[in-house]
Amino acid sequence: MTQINQNFLELQGSYLFSEIAKRRTKFMHENPDADIISLGIGDVTRGLPDAVMTAMHAAVDELAQPRTFRGYGPEQGYDFLLQAIVEHDYKARGIDIATNEVFVSDGSKCDVGNIQEIFSQDAVIAVQDPVYPVYVDTNVMAGRSGKFNSETNQYENIVYLRCDASNDFKPSLPDRKVDLIYLCYPNNPTGMTLTKGELKAWVDYAKENGCIILFDSAYEAFITEADVPRSIYEIEGAHEVAIEFRSFSKTAGFTGVRCAYTVVPRALKAKDASGNEVTVADLWNRRHTTKFNGVSYVTQRGAAAIYSPEGKRQITELVDYYMTNAGIIRDGLKSLGLQVYGGVNAPYIWLKTPSGLDSWSFFDKLLGEANIVGTPGVGFGQAGQGYFRLTAFGSRENTEKAVERITKLSL
Amino acid sequence: MTQINQNFLELQGSYLFSEIAKRRTKFMHENPDADIISLGIGDVTRGLPDAVMTAMHAAVDELAQPRTFRGYGPEQGYDFLLQAIVEHDYKARGIDIATNEVFVSDGSKCDVGNIQEIFSQDAVIAVQDPVYPVYVDTNVMAGRSGKFNSETNQYENIVYLRCDASNDFKPSLPDRKVDLIYLCYPNNPTGMTLTKGELKAWVDYAKENGCIILFDSAYEAFITEADVPRSIYEIEGAHEVAIEFRSFSKTAGFTGVRCAYTVVPRALKAKDASGNEVTVADLWNRRHTTKFNGVSYVTQRGAAAIYSPEGKRQITELVDYYMTNAGIIRDGLKSLGLQVYGGVNAPYIWLKTPSGLDSWSFFDKLLGEANIVGTPGVGFGQAGQGYFRLTAFGSRENTEKAVERITKLSL
């Protein structure tokens, strides 16, 4: 009988969202008339911007005619999209990135999950705690995690960088040698950010210690403050140490349309077993072209449309809509005396649960007494215990209603 | 400095299509007025069927309104598409497959590339020679290939199953213990097929020897003969030994739209390191949900539309169009006394190069004397030396013109 990849057996159950669904279903069963508001999952709710819709319709029509039909495109993305990304997301901000350093994909989840493949089996990885689970799980599958310790809620070979109120959710530099550092800013789940100076300390550390930073910047569009870097490449030297992941999912309502991109600068080098330098972009290009066949042409035309003048205006409106929600949640909770984080440069609000409740007890209280579904912080890692995540992706009406209900709770 | 995945250095250059492009470009430069016809790359050229186009337009409109917007969908695919697949591709042919055994993805290239991840690092793989390069390259990246031998043109740890005219392109059973057997039928590049009885021998072998068959059935829609299985699950016992890959790319013109699916029956088991049975579908589900975020909703609506009555009729017309081309090429070459294979149940025509020419010499002759671009068989593996692939995906006009030009050659 064929043998499986034994590392899969080290994976822990994907417990968080199934447990949320279970508790929600039980509550609905017992309270069929309850008007439940979900501020739990990080998925958008508004429609696609008009400019995107128009471009996608036009692309569908192109594909329907033999004369304008397009089959396989370049795996890395069409030049019209690569050019728009480079021009608007980088050159316009004074950052030098070339089109052959950009790889369009069908989602950041795929890219942050697949990137580890091009590095050594023995690479030591560091993640923030709390953390987006995909960084960890994909390294478990690849055999880099070691055993799971159910007492610490951590894998033995993964370096966890604790982020909590005591360090303003800004992790300390690793206390031992690591190879790959996953940083997510603006952060999911905490909604917190680093300043340029703080991010520079990480870039400098990576240069000095020969590490690579995997910088997940999926929420970049939600940044409102000037000193928060929108790209890690704003930091001098980052081209030599960092890979950046960007997504159209939250910015442009693309969670169901699927488009993202990854930047691997040509200046980023790693070494082979003999110590020779290897250009990391060449490895990623080989992986991307061998295991992926490009993003839907219709989707790529939609993504390019967000860089048009109308597209930009509509995206700004969309982001403003969600960030107004974030402000409503943040201000509402603060007025109750709660400790609230995030929501200024990110669509996530992270709160310290009141009265010393643990994350799941607060989940039950919020569901039972206010009929609101959120996400227990401990679901993102041990350091999230005693915290709770709310998202700004609901409708205005539901967001206001949810805050009003929370205001009436005895906390 | 961070160390790379050393296995990537064992990959051979992706030589074939870049070398074709190079020779074509050189020829065009020297002969700017030449009217080149490409029957080389396996990409379709007709427009999307009307039913698909209509469904995609409707889906774009749905996404543009908050009331009907859809964000993240199930990673495995929407139920409307899973139901259609199960009903029309399996139940209608008397095959029992459940929706939780079907995993919709953005392409068969991704699925056949990723499937190896869920199996042991030590798994021995067998491939047909000639072969679709993705099967080999993804196992090289995973460290299963051993060294490349430039004299044999093969990797030392991969078992090659030779397919040539002497065995009617039907490989012998492996002569040593293997774990994973990649079979592609209807075959790319040879266009040849197995009968039900012949495929049964493989299923029986896999059962007796504890192997798993990875059955790439991307060209199933082009089958015209009754005794050729359209699914490996037509064979008794296949549910316990086979994973099947299907694609909408060639059937429905989806090479630029991106949709495929993989069937992993619940009855398929493998073992862990302790010898315990593991349900392979659970591993694939975990991989799929961890590293993938679902196919574009617009694409899935388009794919579902091909199962409507109009969709089915339009797909049949599309397939008939290409298969008429295949017949034109096949008959034309046969009338010249050439040894011609494929083209009956597949859109590929595989020919023995005349006059003992090697594959690349025939490429040069065809380009130079008839201005036709095809694909040298040796590009698919050593057993393809002295063979040549032409595809039926061109326009009728170009196909007829190409055959007329070949007829005038001195072969």
Side-chain angles (χ1 to χ4, degrees):
Chain A
M1 195 176 252
T2 303
Q3 197 168 314
I4 64 161
N5 175 349
Q6 188 76 5
N7 302 314
F8 271 65
L9 302 186
E10 290 301 326
L11 289 164
Q12 302 306 302
S14 52
Y15 168 78
L16 179 61
F17 288 102
S18 62
E19 181 63 23
I20 290 174
K22 208 174 99 187
R23 294 192 189 203
R24 179 188 174 139
T25 303
K26 181 167 179 284
F27 181 81
M28 284 170 70
H29 188 72
E30 290 163 4
N31 303 274
D33 296 330
D35 171 27
I36 294 180
I37 297 175
S38 175
L39 300 180
I41 296 173
D43 194 1
V44 295
T45 56
R46 312 304 297 166
L48 290 178
D50 277 356
V52 171
M53 177 187 68
T54 304
M56 289 177 72
H57 277 309
V60 171
D61 285 334
E62 272 186 75
L63 295 185
Q65 299 299 329
R67 199 177 48 80
T68 50
F69 179 81
R70 305 226 192 179
Y72 293 123
E75 289 97 341
Q76 301 90 339
Y78 277 102
D79 208 50
F80 63 78
L81 180 54
L82 297 174
Q83 293 279 3
I85 288 168
V86 162
E87 197 58 49
H88 297 275
D89 288 346
Y90 294 101
K91 289 225 162 74
R93 289 174 190 153
I95 301 166
D96 189 26
I97 291 291
T99 52
N100 69 348
E101 297 174 313
V102 178
F103 299 84
V104 172
S105 84
D106 67 325
S108 271
K109 182 180 176 184
C110 314
D111 288 348
V112 300
N114 292 328
I115 195 76
Q116 45 77 29
E117 277 184 38
I118 64 173
F119 297 106
S120 164
Q121 173 80 23
D122 301 324
V124 176
I125 74 147
V127 297
Q128 293 172 268
D129 179 11
V131 66
Y132 177 52
V134 171
Y135 310 152
V136 172
D137 287 353
T138 54
N139 279 290
V140 175
M141 291 174 178
R144 293 192 191 87
S145 66
K147 296 280 173 200
F148 186 74
N149 181 331
S150 56
E151 283 183 28
T152 60
N153 211 10
Q154 299 188 334
Y155 288 96
E156 60 183 0
N157 296 340
I158 290 180
V159 176
Y160 292 85
L161 308 168
R162 190 173 173 89
C163 299
D164 57 24
S166 74
N167 59 13
D168 206 22
F169 303 93
K170 293 168 183 181
S172 303
L173 296 167
D175 59 4
R176 51 190 143 139
K177 170 77 180 125
V178 301
D179 297 295
L180 300 171
I181 303 169
Y182 291 79
L183 290 181
C184 176
Y185 283 108
N187 188 259
N188 176 17
T190 70
M192 298 295 274
T193 52
L194 297 182
T195 63
K196 284 180 192 170
E198 287 160 349
L199 187 55
K200 184 170 188 309
W202 283 92
V203 170
D204 291 347
Y205 175 85
K207 285 187 85 162
E208 281 156 27
N209 292 275
C211 336
I212 291 174
I213 297 173
L214 304 172
F215 193 73
D216 185 347
S217 183
Y219 297 95
E220 163 273 334
F222 296 90
I223 293 171
T224 60
E225 295 182 318
D227 193 37
V228 176
R230 291 177 157 254
S231 163
I232 195 168
Y233 305 118
E234 292 179 26
I235 313 298
E236 200 191 322
H239 287 72
E240 292 154 49
V241 295
I243 293 173
E244 180 162 284
F245 304 91
R246 295 272 194 107
S247 172
F248 298 98
S249 284
K250 308 300 162 71
T251 326
F254 268 46
T255 50
V257 173
R258 316 300 318 137
C259 200
Y261 66 86
T262 290
V263 178
V264 189
R266 302 282 314 164
L268 178 66
K269 309 289 177 186
K271 66 173 183 192
D272 69 14
S274 314
N276 303 310
E277 275 196 0
V278 178
T279 300
V280 175
D282 288 339
L283 296 184
W284 183 245
N285 187 61
R286 187 63 195 258
R287 196 245 165 244
H288 202 67
T289 54
T290 301
K291 297 193 181 182
F292 182 65
N293 229 339
V295 172
S296 164
Y297 176 68
V298 178
T299 296
Q300 290 192 62
R301 279 290 179 200
I306 77 161
Y307 295 104
S308 67
E310 322 81 77
K312 282 185 172 179
R313 190 174 43 73
Q314 292 161 9
I315 292 302
T316 304
E317 285 169 11
L318 203 54
V319 168
D320 287 350
Y321 182 93
Y322 293 131
M323 288 310 287
T324 301
N325 286 352
I328 291 169
I329 299 171
R330 188 181 154 87
D331 294 346
L333 299 180
K334 278 197 148 181
S335 73
L336 302 175
L338 291 170
Q339 284 180 51
V340 184
Y341 307 93
V344 175
N345 297 300
Y348 293 121
I349 291 90
W350 187 248
L351 61 131
K352 184 88 192 78
T353 54
S355 318
L357 289 173
D358 69 27
S359 296
W360 280 108
S361 300
F362 187 69
F363 175 92
D364 289 335
K365 183 181 174 73
L366 211 57
L367 177 58
E369 298 176 19
N371 304 344
I372 295 168
V373 176
T375 310
V378 71
F380 298 99
Q382 199 53 40
Q385 182 59 281
Y387 291 92
F388 201 79
R389 191 188 78 173
L390 293 172
T391 78
F393 290 128
S395 68
R396 179 67 38 79
E397 187 191 348
N398 278 345
T399 303
E400 287 172 342
K401 212 192 294 181
V403 171
E404 198 185 311
R405 289 187 196 167
I406 295 174
T407 312
K408 292 182 183 151
L409 290 180
S410 64
L411 294 173
Chain B
M1 195 175 251
T2 303
Q3 197 168 313
I4 65 162
N5 175 348
Q6 188 76 5
N7 301 315
F8 272 63
L9 302 186
E10 290 302 325
L11 289 163
Q12 301 306 301
S14 52
Y15 168 78
L16 179 61
F17 289 102
S18 62
E19 181 64 23
I20 290 174
K22 207 173 100 186
R23 294 193 190 204
R24 178 188 174 139
T25 304
K26 180 167 180 284
F27 180 81
M28 284 170 70
H29 187 74
E30 291 163 2
N31 303 274
D33 297 331
D35 171 27
I36 294 179
I37 297 175
S38 175
L39 300 179
I41 296 174
D43 195 1
V44 295
T45 56
R46 311 304 296 166
L48 290 178
D50 277 356
V52 170
M53 178 187 68
T54 304
M56 289 177 73
H57 277 309
V60 170
D61 285 334
E62 273 187 73
L63 295 186
Q65 300 298 330
R67 199 177 49 79
T68 50
F69 179 80
R70 305 226 193 180
Y72 293 123
E75 289 97 340
Q76 301 90 340
Y78 277 102
D79 208 52
F80 63 78
L81 180 54
L82 297 174
Q83 293 280 4
I85 289 167
V86 162
E87 197 58 48
H88 297 277
D89 288 346
Y90 293 100
K91 291 225 160 77
R93 288 174 190 152
I95 301 167
D96 189 26
I97 291 291
T99 52
N100 69 348
E101 298 175 312
V102 178
F103 299 84
V104 172
S105 83
D106 66 326
S108 271
K109 182 180 176 184
C110 313
D111 288 348
V112 299
N114 292 328
I115 195 74
Q116 45 77 30
E117 278 184 37
I118 63 173
F119 297 107
S120 162
Q121 172 80 23
D122 301 324
V124 176
I125 74 148
V127 297
Q128 294 173 267
D129 179 13
V131 66
Y132 177 53
V134 172
Y135 311 152
V136 172
D137 288 352
T138 55
N139 279 289
V140 175
M141 291 175 179
R144 293 192 191 87
S145 66
K147 296 280 172 199
F148 187 74
N149 181 332
S150 56
E151 283 182 27
T152 61
N153 212 9
Q154 298 188 334
Y155 288 95
E156 61 184 359
N157 296 340
I158 291 179
V159 176
Y160 292 85
L161 308 169
R162 190 173 173 89
C163 299
D164 58 24
S166 74
N167 59 12
D168 206 21
F169 303 92
K170 294 168 184 184
S172 304
L173 295 167
D175 58 5
R176 51 189 144 140
K177 170 77 181 124
V178 300
D179 298 293
L180 300 171
I181 303 168
Y182 291 79
L183 289 182
C184 176
Y185 282 109
N187 188 259
N188 176 18
T190 71
M192 297 296 273
T193 52
L194 297 183
T195 63
K196 286 179 191 172
E198 288 160 348
L199 186 55
K200 183 169 189 308
W202 282 93
V203 170
D204 291 346
Y205 176 85
K207 286 187 85 160
E208 282 156 27
N209 293 275
C211 336
I212 291 175
I213 297 173
L214 304 171
F215 193 73
D216 186 347
S217 183
Y219 299 94
E220 162 273 334
F222 297 90
I223 294 171
T224 59
E225 294 181 320
D227 193 37
V228 176
R230 289 178 157 252
S231 163
I232 194 168
Y233 305 118
E234 291 179 27
I235 312 299
E236 199 192 322
H239 287 73
E240 292 154 50
V241 296
I243 293 173
E244 180 162 284
F245 304 91
R246 295 271 193 109
S247 173
F248 298 99
S249 284
K250 308 301 163 68
T251 326
F254 268 45
T255 50
V257 173
R258 315 300 318 135
C259 201
Y261 66 88
T262 290
V263 178
V264 189
R266 302 282 315 165
L268 178 66
K269 310 289 178 188
K271 64 172 184 193
D272 68 15
S274 314
N276 303 310
E277 276 197 1
V278 178
T279 300
V280 174
D282 289 338
L283 296 184
W284 184 245
N285 186 61
R286 188 65 195 257
R287 196 246 165 243
H288 202 68
T289 54
T290 301
K291 297 193 181 182
F292 182 64
N293 229 337
V295 172
S296 165
Y297 175 70
V298 178
T299 297
Q300 290 192 61
R301 280 289 179 199
I306 77 163
Y307 295 104
S308 66
E310 323 81 76
K312 282 184 171 178
R313 189 174 44 74
Q314 291 162 9
I315 292 302
T316 304
E317 285 169 11
L318 204 54
V319 168
D320 287 351
Y321 182 93
Y322 293 131
M323 288 310 287
T324 301
N325 286 352
I328 291 168
I329 299 171
R330 188 180 154 89
D331 295 346
L333 299 179
K334 278 197 148 180
S335 74
L336 302 175
L338 291 170
Q339 285 180 51
V340 185
Y341 307 93
V344 174
N345 297 300
Y348 294 120
I349 290 90
W350 186 247
L351 60 132
K352 184 89 193 76
T353 54
S355 318
L357 290 175
D358 68 28
S359 296
W360 280 108
S361 301
F362 187 70
F363 175 92
D364 289 334
K365 182 181 175 75
L366 210 57
L367 177 58
E369 298 177 19
N371 304 344
I372 295 168
V373 175
T375 311
V378 71
F380 298 98
Q382 199 53 41
Q385 181 59 281
Y387 290 92
F388 201 79
R389 191 188 78 173
L390 294 173
T391 79
F393 290 127
S395 68
R396 179 67 38 78
E397 189 191 347
N398 278 345
T399 303
E400 287 172 341
K401 212 193 293 182
V403 171
E404 198 185 311
R405 289 187 195 168
I406 295 173
T407 312
K408 291 180 183 152
L409 290 179
S410 64
L411 294 172

